[in-house]
Every structure is written in C-alpha cells, then in structure tokens.
Amino acid sequence: MEVNDSGSVVLTAYHSYTPSRGEQSCAPEVPPSRSLLRKSLPRCQRINRMLSNESLHPPTYNRSSSQASVDSTSMEDFWCEVENIKESTEDRQDDQTLLEVKPPDEGELEAEWLHDVGLSTLISGSEEEDGEALLSTLTRTQAAAVQKRYNTYTQTMRKKNKHQVRDVRDIFGVSDNSPSFEAIPVSPVTTNGIQLPVHKPATSCLECEFEKDNQSVTEELSFEVSFSESITVVPKHREWHSNQSFKKEESALPNFMIRKSRFGLTEVGDLSLDDMKKIRYLSLIELTAFYDALGIELKRNRTERVKGRENGLFGVPLTILLESDQKKFPGIKVPLIFQKLLLKLEETGLETEGILRVPGSASRVKSLRQEIETKFEEDTFDWDQVRNNDAAGLLKMFIRELPSPLFTVEYLPAFITLVEKIPKVKLQLQALHLLIMLLPDASRDVAKVLLQFLKKVVSNEGKNKMTLWNVSMIVAPNLFVYKGKRANQEEMLAAATTARIVRLLIKYQDILWMVPNFLISQVRKMNEAAMNNTKRQLMFDKGVRRLLRRKTMERERPERTESDIPEGVIRVHAPLHSKVSMAIQLNNQTKVKDILARFYCENSHEPSENMKMQVQSLHEIGGNIGQHCLDPNAYMLDVYHANPQAEWVIKPKIS
C-alpha cells in the first residue's frame, strides 16, 4: 500500500540495487568500514549505499513505478548535484523567508480552488453573475468537477457552522432525484465555436522530436476535444505500474504530432492577457476533471507567500526583475540577467563536455555572483572572464534561488502524481500540458527559454556527453526545490520522479506551449455569454433605451458601414503598410498567409522601414476574443465564421 504524508506528497520506497564494477562515482573508492563510510563518503554516494542496502530490510509497502525501476547508480548524478548545491549554500545566509507547506484543510482548500478557477462568487453569496459565463461553457466532466468541489465545500462549512452557504442545486439546477453528474449536460467542446467537419482534418502536424533518428511510433494528439471527455476507459485497478520497467533512453519515449485543425495552432503568447487569465481558470477545472476521470486525487500544497529580496538579481521575484527591466526595454518577458546567462552558455558552452554536470569552482561562482550584482546594471561586467562551468553554476543558482519555484509549490504534488500514477505517456503529457497552462506568465516565459536551452544541450550530446537523462537528473533538483524541515526526506523520495518530469518537459516542450483549441473555444463562449449578460442588463436601463431610440432616429440616412460588407468578405487593416486597408473575399481555401502575401505584394513598390525590422502577423481583435495572433496556416473563412464581429489587423507579433 502507499503511504501518504500530511504534506500531500506520496511517500514511496526505492528499488534495491547493488552497484556494478567499474561504476563511476562522485568520489574515489574508500574502504568498506562502516565508520569510515559515514565520515568520508560524499552525500550522493552515501545515499546510493543506503538505497542499495534496502534489501537488508525489505519494505512493507509497494514501490512506485519511478523508484522501482530506476536503479540507484543511475541517480548518482542527481545526488552529486544535490551535494554541490548544499556546498554552494553552506556559507551563505538565505535572503528569503523559508517556504513552509501547511497541512491541508479540506474546506479551505476547496474554497481556494473555487477562487482560483474564477468562481469565488459561489462561496461569497454574491448576487453577481460573474461566474455564470464560465459555468455556461463547461463540459460534462468539467461541470461534475466543479460540483464535486462545491459540494465538499458546502458540507464542510455546514459542519463548521461558519455561515449560510448556497445549495448546489441553486447553482447547477439539480432536482432532488436527478443524478449529480448530469448537472450541466453540456456536450464536449469541439473547435473554436464551430462544429467539426465530418471528414478527417488535414494531416499537417507539428512534430516534437530531436534531430537524431527515433524508431518510436509517432502518435497523434488532438486539441479539439476536452482531454477529460476523451477518457473512456480507466483501468479498474491501480497496479498498472508495478511491472513496468523504466528506460532512460530518449528512444523509449514516443513521438507525438499535433493534428492541425482548420483554425491552426495557437501559442501561449498569441492571446491577450485577459484571455490567458480565462485559459488558466479553464485549465485548472479541466485538470481537476482529468484527474477525476482517471480516479486520481489532485492534491495541492498550501504555502505561505515567500518574500524574496526587493533589489539585486539573485533571489529576487521574477515580477520585480521584469518591472525593472521593462523600464529600459518595454515588453520584455524574460529578465535580462537570465537572458545573458543563457546567451553566454549558448555561445561558448554547448559543446563543453559535462556542461551542467561538472560543477564550477564554488568560491569562484560566489565571487562572480557578487561582481554581477554590483556591475550588471551599469553594463560593466566582463562576461569573457566567466568559464562555461561557472556560468552553468550561476544559471542553476538563479533558478533555485527564485522565491517562488518556476513550476510552483502549490502544484508540486500534481507534477509528482502525473508520473507516479498516470499509466501512459500520452496521458502524462496531457496532464503536464494543463499544468503548464496554469503557470503565471513570468514563470512560463522563463521556463520556455530555459527548456529551449536544455534542448540545445541535448542536441549536442555527441560533443558534451550530456544525454536527455543526464540533463534531466542535473536540472531536476534545481527546478523542484524542497525547503522546510522535511526537505531532505521529500527530496530523496521524489528524486527519480522529478528527473522524469524534467525529461518530459524537455522532450515535449514544443507541444506544451500550444493552447488547446477546446480551451480557446470555451474562452469564446465565455466572452459571448458575458456580452449577452451585459446587453440584457443595459436593456433594463431606461436611460440606455432612450439613447438607443435617439441614435436610431439619427440614422435615417445611414452611410455604408462594415456591416454592409457582403458575407464572406472581410476588411483587413494594416496601419504600417502604405495601403492601410483592403477588402478581401474569402473562400474555403483562403489561408492567413495568403492575405499577408497579398498585402506584401500590393505594397512591394513602397517598402517600409518598420516592415523590414518586424515580422507582420494577422490579428483577430474584438468580438468574442480579446486579441488573437493567427497561425499563418489557419483557414480564414473558418476563423471568420467563429468570430464574425472581429476586426482584422496586420501588425507585428509581440514575441
């Protein structure tokens, strides 16, 4: 049986292992005396010895998939990295408040969940209809997930007698004799508001794979239907991992391709901030429904806010760093210091043998850090003096000293669970995808450039000797940082699991930055429902009705407006072109790139300096979306039908 602790991290045992001859270690071989072993062996090797000695005292509970299948020696790089981290921080006081994970309280956790998905009005007792638009878009499984959490909250509050709470039937319209799961019988969402055609979509795809040949079978991913709605069969038992063996080779992971719909693909940076906020609401609901459909509990940590330094570069929250950098470079999404560290490594370090794994000098890294803190703002720091291994040490130091980890302490149990409890890589990838959609903007942007760099490191494996698994083991203890009284124990138990998470992140990163179309469709429906609610409220206002009547009388001689444009014809605006507007007739084969090409052709005789410097993209603005940068391969007529009230503007894409 599995043993769970109060911090909602699954406790598991490791597989017993006896090291083979000739095995490389972090330190020279020492005599087998027990007293000498404890005193002289580095921590990384002592832990491996502890794990290998587990056979002397067999555990009384089952082993998890990750620990049962990864031998102790394969994790030696992980523990060597942990030891290096300990040594680099021994003589330096931490500038941050210690991160303390509080024991969960069911009622409070459910209230936080409802708040995080944008449904706080359900527990506040407010008469506002802010949550109605969101509730009206939910699929069957999503509605069941919301209803389950709200039921748990109301029952807990009634037991505590804190205050009157609304009955779930008042929200979901459930009668006394109707099954709770059918509260909102909404069919699965398909595309961006339009019914999918019966024929199979085009087979064009985005493949997520490294350059080296991979003999794995390529599987297809669809973003058109909710992940939770796609789960039709769930194993009746929870022993799917007990006999599985874990293979470290990259070829053991399948390749996936995204089946493009006629709406194309949408990256996280292609949507407005307001729409991405709604994507986060929906992603948390969908993730919860997804775990429910698999019969797995979605656990969250409760954490106190960690206050980092308010100035400097290391140990400073990303939002503060960006606020400072944006004063010099408006629109920047990744802190300048992080960009500079990556640039240094990409220019000179990608082919360095053992990059990331071989540590730099601890004293030299400490001295460089202090010098960077002093000279970076004035741009007087000499980067040529920094050795590649020292630069890698500074990069890892920056990541692990962030006050809030890139992948958030709150959802650390969810990351752990997706590897330990979900049986198939495809399902793991879907859960990981939703977790990435939940990240704060700053964390996601930094994680994106970091993973892109790590992919480059792996692609140079022939020269730097760093495989995907090597990189994953080294990066894991820097990304998934455990703090608090039980940090060492939790770190030890989750070692192999966190390395496997990083492995998935690096391998499938190109997929993870794409926003699923079914979520965009739900955002469109949310915006439409909100607009309809606003219109209904305005119609009850007598003053508004009088104004509308007066405006109607003033339009006795109306001029030709955009609404007079025939069906299937759009007017595209291009402020940076010499020809700033053009009416374009659409057909079933018109793509976004065709419209862009037409504008470039019309303006080719009079090139603009602005156009030369920036790549132009077609944006969908207004109507049922805030702003949406369209995929050049999207079919324009389908997008137009999904949002006929939008404006179409050609302008630079915000990178």
Side-chain angles (χ1 to χ4, degrees), residues 203-244:
T203 57
S204 57
C205 65
L206 171 67
E207 294 197 23
C208 182
E209 58 184 349
F210 288 93
E211 292 181 1
K212 69 177 187 177
D213 294 335
N214 192 321
Q215 301 300 322
S216 302
V217 176
T218 299
E219 297 185 43
E220 190 176 64
L221 291 175
S222 174
F223 284 174
E224 308 309 311
V225 180
S226 158
F227 297 157
S228 59
E229 292 283 346
S230 301
I231 299 175
T232 55
V233 178
V234 180
K236 295 181 180 179
H237 54 83
R238 292 294 174 263
E239 298 179 357
W240 50 56
H241 56 266
S242 58
N243 297 320
Q244 288 182 350

Short mmCIF file of all heavy atoms in Angstrom, two decimals, residues 203-244:
data_model
loop_
_atom_site.label_atom_id
_atom_site.label_comp_id
_atom_site.label_asym_id
_atom_site.label_seq_id
_atom_site.Cartn_x
_atom_site.Cartn_y
_atom_site.Cartn_z
N THR A 203 -3.53 16.35 -42.48
CA THR A 203 -2.55 15.63 -41.69
C THR A 203 -1.31 16.45 -41.38
O THR A 203 -0.34 15.92 -40.88
CB THR A 203 -2.12 14.35 -42.43
OG1 THR A 203 -1.61 14.73 -43.71
CG2 THR A 203 -3.28 13.41 -42.59
N SER A 204 -1.32 17.75 -41.72
CA SER A 204 -0.17 18.57 -41.38
C SER A 204 -0.02 18.61 -39.88
O SER A 204 -0.99 18.64 -39.15
CB SER A 204 -0.34 19.99 -41.91
OG SER A 204 -1.53 20.55 -41.41
N CYS A 205 1.20 18.59 -39.41
CA CYS A 205 1.40 18.45 -37.97
C CYS A 205 2.67 19.12 -37.51
O CYS A 205 3.53 19.49 -38.29
CB CYS A 205 1.45 16.96 -37.59
SG CYS A 205 2.88 16.13 -38.28
N LEU A 206 2.73 19.29 -36.20
CA LEU A 206 3.95 19.77 -35.55
C LEU A 206 4.54 18.59 -34.82
O LEU A 206 3.94 18.06 -33.91
CB LEU A 206 3.63 20.89 -34.56
CG LEU A 206 4.77 21.33 -33.66
CD1 LEU A 206 5.86 22.02 -34.47
CD2 LEU A 206 4.26 22.25 -32.57
N GLU A 207 5.72 18.15 -35.22
CA GLU A 207 6.34 17.01 -34.58
C GLU A 207 7.29 17.47 -33.50
O GLU A 207 8.04 18.41 -33.69
CB GLU A 207 7.09 16.15 -35.60
CG GLU A 207 6.16 15.50 -36.60
CD GLU A 207 6.82 14.35 -37.33
OE1 GLU A 207 7.78 13.79 -36.79
OE2 GLU A 207 6.38 14.04 -38.43
N CYS A 208 7.21 16.81 -32.36
CA CYS A 208 8.08 17.15 -31.23
C CYS A 208 9.13 16.06 -31.08
O CYS A 208 8.85 15.01 -30.54
CB CYS A 208 7.24 17.25 -29.96
SG CYS A 208 8.17 17.71 -28.53
N GLU A 209 10.33 16.30 -31.63
CA GLU A 209 11.37 15.31 -31.55
C GLU A 209 12.72 15.97 -31.75
O GLU A 209 12.83 17.06 -32.29
CB GLU A 209 11.17 14.21 -32.59
CG GLU A 209 11.12 14.74 -34.02
CD GLU A 209 10.82 13.63 -35.01
OE1 GLU A 209 10.86 12.46 -34.61
OE2 GLU A 209 10.55 13.95 -36.16
N PHE A 210 13.77 15.29 -31.31
CA PHE A 210 15.11 15.79 -31.50
C PHE A 210 15.60 15.38 -32.88
O PHE A 210 14.98 14.60 -33.57
CB PHE A 210 16.04 15.26 -30.41
CG PHE A 210 15.79 15.88 -29.08
CD1 PHE A 210 14.94 15.29 -28.18
CD2 PHE A 210 16.40 17.07 -28.74
CE1 PHE A 210 14.70 15.86 -26.95
CE2 PHE A 210 16.18 17.66 -27.51
CZ PHE A 210 15.32 17.04 -26.62
N GLU A 211 16.74 15.94 -33.27
CA GLU A 211 17.24 15.71 -34.61
C GLU A 211 17.65 14.27 -34.85
O GLU A 211 17.53 13.76 -35.94
CB GLU A 211 18.43 16.65 -34.87
CG GLU A 211 18.03 18.10 -34.94
CD GLU A 211 19.22 19.00 -35.22
OE1 GLU A 211 20.34 18.48 -35.38
OE2 GLU A 211 19.02 20.22 -35.29
N LYS A 212 18.15 13.60 -33.82
CA LYS A 212 18.62 12.24 -34.05
C LYS A 212 17.44 11.31 -34.32
O LYS A 212 16.33 11.52 -33.87
CB LYS A 212 19.45 11.74 -32.87
CG LYS A 212 18.67 11.50 -31.60
CD LYS A 212 19.61 10.94 -30.54
CE LYS A 212 18.85 10.52 -29.30
NZ LYS A 212 19.74 9.92 -28.31
N ASP A 213 17.70 10.25 -35.09
CA ASP A 213 16.66 9.33 -35.51
C ASP A 213 16.03 8.65 -34.31
O ASP A 213 16.69 8.29 -33.35
CB ASP A 213 17.23 8.27 -36.45
CG ASP A 213 17.69 8.88 -37.77
OD1 ASP A 213 17.16 9.95 -38.13
OD2 ASP A 213 18.58 8.30 -38.39
N ASN A 214 14.73 8.45 -34.39
CA ASN A 214 13.99 7.79 -33.32
C ASN A 214 13.07 6.77 -33.96
O ASN A 214 12.28 7.10 -34.83
CB ASN A 214 13.19 8.84 -32.53
CG ASN A 214 12.65 8.27 -31.23
OD1 ASN A 214 12.21 7.13 -31.18
ND2 ASN A 214 12.67 9.09 -30.19
N GLN A 215 13.18 5.53 -33.50
CA GLN A 215 12.41 4.45 -34.11
C GLN A 215 11.03 4.30 -33.49
O GLN A 215 10.29 3.41 -33.86
CB GLN A 215 13.20 3.13 -33.96
CG GLN A 215 14.58 3.18 -34.62
CD GLN A 215 14.51 3.45 -36.11
OE1 GLN A 215 13.61 2.95 -36.79
NE2 GLN A 215 15.43 4.25 -36.61
N SER A 216 10.68 5.17 -32.51
CA SER A 216 9.39 5.05 -31.85
C SER A 216 8.26 5.37 -32.82
O SER A 216 8.42 6.13 -33.77
CB SER A 216 9.31 5.99 -30.65
OG SER A 216 10.35 5.71 -29.75
N VAL A 217 7.11 4.81 -32.55
CA VAL A 217 5.92 5.09 -33.35
C VAL A 217 5.41 6.47 -33.01
O VAL A 217 5.35 6.85 -31.85
CB VAL A 217 4.84 4.02 -33.09
CG1 VAL A 217 3.57 4.35 -33.85
CG2 VAL A 217 5.35 2.63 -33.45
N THR A 218 5.03 7.24 -34.02
CA THR A 218 4.50 8.58 -33.80
C THR A 218 3.00 8.50 -33.55
O THR A 218 2.26 7.92 -34.35
CB THR A 218 4.78 9.48 -35.01
OG1 THR A 218 6.19 9.58 -35.20
CG2 THR A 218 4.20 10.87 -34.79
N GLU A 219 2.57 9.07 -32.44
CA GLU A 219 1.15 9.09 -32.09
C GLU A 219 0.57 10.47 -32.35
O GLU A 219 1.28 11.47 -32.34
CB GLU A 219 0.96 8.71 -30.61
CG GLU A 219 1.42 7.30 -30.27
CD GLU A 219 1.10 6.94 -28.83
OE1 GLU A 219 -0.03 7.26 -28.38
OE2 GLU A 219 1.97 6.37 -28.15
N GLU A 220 -0.73 10.50 -32.55
CA GLU A 220 -1.41 11.74 -32.90
C GLU A 220 -2.10 12.33 -31.67
O GLU A 220 -2.69 11.62 -30.86
CB GLU A 220 -2.45 11.47 -34.00
CG GLU A 220 -3.03 12.72 -34.60
CD GLU A 220 -3.97 12.41 -35.75
OE1 GLU A 220 -5.00 11.77 -35.51
OE2 GLU A 220 -3.64 12.78 -36.89
N LEU A 221 -2.00 13.64 -31.54
CA LEU A 221 -2.68 14.37 -30.47
C LEU A 221 -3.75 15.27 -31.08
O LEU A 221 -3.50 15.94 -32.08
CB LEU A 221 -1.69 15.24 -29.69
CG LEU A 221 -0.64 14.55 -28.82
CD1 LEU A 221 0.30 15.59 -28.24
CD2 LEU A 221 -1.29 13.75 -27.71
N SER A 222 -4.90 15.29 -30.45
CA SER A 222 -5.97 16.19 -30.89
C SER A 222 -6.24 17.22 -29.81
O SER A 222 -6.36 16.89 -28.64
CB SER A 222 -7.25 15.41 -31.18
OG SER A 222 -8.32 16.30 -31.48
N PHE A 223 -6.33 18.49 -30.23
CA PHE A 223 -6.64 19.58 -29.31
C PHE A 223 -8.09 20.03 -29.44
O PHE A 223 -8.48 21.04 -28.88
CB PHE A 223 -5.74 20.78 -29.59
CG PHE A 223 -4.32 20.63 -29.09
CD1 PHE A 223 -3.36 21.57 -29.38
CD2 PHE A 223 -3.96 19.54 -28.30
CE1 PHE A 223 -2.06 21.45 -28.92
CE2 PHE A 223 -2.66 19.40 -27.84
CZ PHE A 223 -1.71 20.35 -28.15
N GLU A 224 -8.89 19.29 -30.18
CA GLU A 224 -10.24 19.75 -30.49
C GLU A 224 -11.26 19.37 -29.42
O GLU A 224 -12.28 20.03 -29.28
CB GLU A 224 -10.70 19.18 -31.84
CG GLU A 224 -9.72 19.41 -32.98
CD GLU A 224 -9.30 20.87 -33.08
OE1 GLU A 224 -10.18 21.74 -33.06
OE2 GLU A 224 -8.08 21.13 -33.14
N VAL A 225 -11.02 18.29 -28.69
CA VAL A 225 -11.97 17.81 -27.68
C VAL A 225 -11.28 17.79 -26.32
O VAL A 225 -10.09 17.47 -26.21
CB VAL A 225 -12.47 16.40 -28.04
CG1 VAL A 225 -13.46 15.88 -26.98
CG2 VAL A 225 -13.15 16.41 -29.41
N SER A 226 -12.02 18.16 -25.31
CA SER A 226 -11.52 18.18 -23.93
C SER A 226 -10.81 16.87 -23.59
O SER A 226 -11.29 15.79 -23.89
CB SER A 226 -12.71 18.40 -22.98
OG SER A 226 -12.43 17.95 -21.69
N PHE A 227 -9.64 16.98 -22.94
CA PHE A 227 -8.88 15.78 -22.57
C PHE A 227 -9.69 14.88 -21.65
O PHE A 227 -9.67 13.66 -21.79
CB PHE A 227 -7.57 16.18 -21.86
CG PHE A 227 -6.62 16.97 -22.71
CD1 PHE A 227 -5.66 17.79 -22.13
CD2 PHE A 227 -6.67 16.91 -24.10
CE1 PHE A 227 -4.76 18.51 -22.91
CE2 PHE A 227 -5.79 17.63 -24.89
CZ PHE A 227 -4.83 18.45 -24.28
N SER A 228 -10.38 15.48 -20.70
CA SER A 228 -11.15 14.68 -19.74
C SER A 228 -12.32 13.97 -20.40
O SER A 228 -12.69 12.86 -20.00
CB SER A 228 -11.65 15.56 -18.59
OG SER A 228 -12.49 16.61 -19.06
N GLU A 229 -12.90 14.57 -21.43
CA GLU A 229 -14.00 13.93 -22.15
C GLU A 229 -13.50 12.78 -23.01
O GLU A 229 -14.27 11.89 -23.38
CB GLU A 229 -14.72 14.96 -23.03
CG GLU A 229 -15.49 16.03 -22.29
CD GLU A 229 -16.81 15.53 -21.74
OE1 GLU A 229 -17.25 14.43 -22.15
OE2 GLU A 229 -17.40 16.21 -20.89
N SER A 230 -12.21 12.80 -23.34
CA SER A 230 -11.65 11.77 -24.23
C SER A 230 -11.33 10.48 -23.48
O SER A 230 -11.07 9.46 -24.11
CB SER A 230 -10.37 12.29 -24.89
OG SER A 230 -10.63 13.47 -25.63
N ILE A 231 -11.32 10.53 -22.14
CA ILE A 231 -11.02 9.33 -21.35
C ILE A 231 -12.27 8.48 -21.26
O ILE A 231 -13.24 8.84 -20.61
CB ILE A 231 -10.53 9.71 -19.94
CG1 ILE A 231 -9.24 10.53 -20.04
CG2 ILE A 231 -10.29 8.46 -19.10
CD1 ILE A 231 -8.76 11.06 -18.71
N THR A 232 -12.24 7.36 -21.95
CA THR A 232 -13.43 6.49 -21.99
C THR A 232 -13.26 5.23 -21.16
O THR A 232 -14.23 4.68 -20.65
CB THR A 232 -13.76 6.10 -23.44
OG1 THR A 232 -12.59 5.49 -24.03
CG2 THR A 232 -14.15 7.32 -24.26
N VAL A 233 -12.03 4.75 -21.06
CA VAL A 233 -11.77 3.52 -20.30
C VAL A 233 -10.68 3.79 -19.29
O VAL A 233 -9.61 4.27 -19.64
CB VAL A 233 -11.34 2.37 -21.23
CG1 VAL A 233 -11.04 1.11 -20.41
CG2 VAL A 233 -12.41 2.09 -22.27
N VAL A 234 -10.95 3.50 -18.03
CA VAL A 234 -9.97 3.66 -16.96
C VAL A 234 -9.71 2.29 -16.36
O VAL A 234 -10.64 1.54 -16.07
CB VAL A 234 -10.50 4.61 -15.86
CG1 VAL A 234 -9.46 4.77 -14.76
CG2 VAL A 234 -10.85 5.95 -16.46
N PRO A 235 -8.43 1.90 -16.17
CA PRO A 235 -8.13 0.60 -15.55
C PRO A 235 -8.83 0.46 -14.20
O PRO A 235 -8.88 1.40 -13.42
CB PRO A 235 -6.61 0.64 -15.39
CG PRO A 235 -6.14 1.59 -16.44
CD PRO A 235 -7.22 2.64 -16.55
N LYS A 236 -9.39 -0.71 -13.94
CA LYS A 236 -10.13 -0.94 -12.69
C LYS A 236 -9.21 -1.05 -11.48
O LYS A 236 -9.65 -0.93 -10.36
CB LYS A 236 -10.98 -2.20 -12.82
CG LYS A 236 -12.08 -2.08 -13.87
CD LYS A 236 -12.92 -3.34 -13.93
CE LYS A 236 -14.01 -3.22 -14.99
NZ LYS A 236 -14.83 -4.45 -15.08
N HIS A 237 -7.95 -1.32 -11.73
CA HIS A 237 -7.00 -1.45 -10.62
C HIS A 237 -5.94 -0.39 -10.75
O HIS A 237 -5.83 0.29 -11.76
CB HIS A 237 -6.36 -2.84 -10.61
CG HIS A 237 -5.75 -3.21 -11.92
ND1 HIS A 237 -4.48 -2.82 -12.29
CD2 HIS A 237 -6.24 -3.94 -12.97
CE1 HIS A 237 -4.20 -3.29 -13.49
NE2 HIS A 237 -5.24 -3.97 -13.93
N ARG A 238 -5.13 -0.23 -9.73
CA ARG A 238 -4.09 0.80 -9.71
C ARG A 238 -2.70 0.16 -9.71
O ARG A 238 -1.78 0.66 -9.12
CB ARG A 238 -4.26 1.70 -8.48
CG ARG A 238 -5.51 2.56 -8.54
CD ARG A 238 -5.43 3.57 -9.66
NE ARG A 238 -6.68 4.31 -9.81
CZ ARG A 238 -7.61 4.00 -10.68
NH1 ARG A 238 -7.45 2.96 -11.48
NH2 ARG A 238 -8.71 4.73 -10.77
N GLU A 239 -2.59 -1.00 -10.37
CA GLU A 239 -1.30 -1.68 -10.39
C GLU A 239 -0.68 -1.65 -11.78
O GLU A 239 0.12 -2.49 -12.14
CB GLU A 239 -1.48 -3.13 -9.94
CG GLU A 239 -1.99 -3.24 -8.51
CD GLU A 239 -2.19 -4.68 -8.09
OE1 GLU A 239 -1.98 -5.57 -8.95
OE2 GLU A 239 -2.54 -4.93 -6.94
N TRP A 240 -1.06 -0.64 -12.58
CA TRP A 240 -0.55 -0.59 -13.95
C TRP A 240 0.96 -0.37 -14.01
O TRP A 240 1.58 -0.65 -15.00
CB TRP A 240 -1.26 0.49 -14.75
CG TRP A 240 -1.31 1.83 -14.10
CD1 TRP A 240 -0.28 2.59 -13.64
CD2 TRP A 240 -2.50 2.57 -13.83
NE1 TRP A 240 -0.74 3.74 -13.11
CE2 TRP A 240 -2.10 3.77 -13.21
CE3 TRP A 240 -3.87 2.36 -14.05
CZ2 TRP A 240 -3.00 4.75 -12.82
CZ3 TRP A 240 -4.76 3.33 -13.67
CH2 TRP A 240 -4.33 4.50 -13.05
N HIS A 241 1.55 0.14 -12.91
CA HIS A 241 2.97 0.46 -12.94
C HIS A 241 3.85 -0.57 -12.24
O HIS A 241 5.05 -0.45 -12.26
CB HIS A 241 3.21 1.82 -12.28
CG HIS A 241 2.68 1.91 -10.88
ND1 HIS A 241 1.44 2.39 -10.60
CD2 HIS A 241 3.24 1.54 -9.70
CE1 HIS A 241 1.25 2.35 -9.28
NE2 HIS A 241 2.33 1.85 -8.73
N SER A 242 3.26 -1.54 -11.61
CA SER A 242 4.05 -2.41 -10.75
C SER A 242 5.08 -3.23 -11.51
O SER A 242 6.14 -3.53 -10.99
CB SER A 242 3.12 -3.34 -9.96
OG SER A 242 2.35 -4.11 -10.87
N ASN A 243 4.78 -3.61 -12.74
CA ASN A 243 5.70 -4.45 -13.50
C ASN A 243 6.37 -3.70 -14.64
O ASN A 243 7.04 -4.30 -15.47
CB ASN A 243 4.94 -5.66 -14.06
CG ASN A 243 4.40 -6.55 -12.95
OD1 ASN A 243 5.08 -6.78 -11.96
ND2 ASN A 243 3.19 -7.06 -13.13
N GLN A 244 6.16 -2.40 -14.70
CA GLN A 244 6.77 -1.63 -15.78
C GLN A 244 8.24 -1.36 -15.48
O GLN A 244 8.62 -1.11 -14.34
CB GLN A 244 6.04 -0.29 -15.97
CG GLN A 244 4.67 -0.45 -16.60
CD GLN A 244 4.02 0.90 -16.81
OE1 GLN A 244 4.51 1.91 -16.32
NE2 GLN A 244 2.93 0.91 -17.52
#
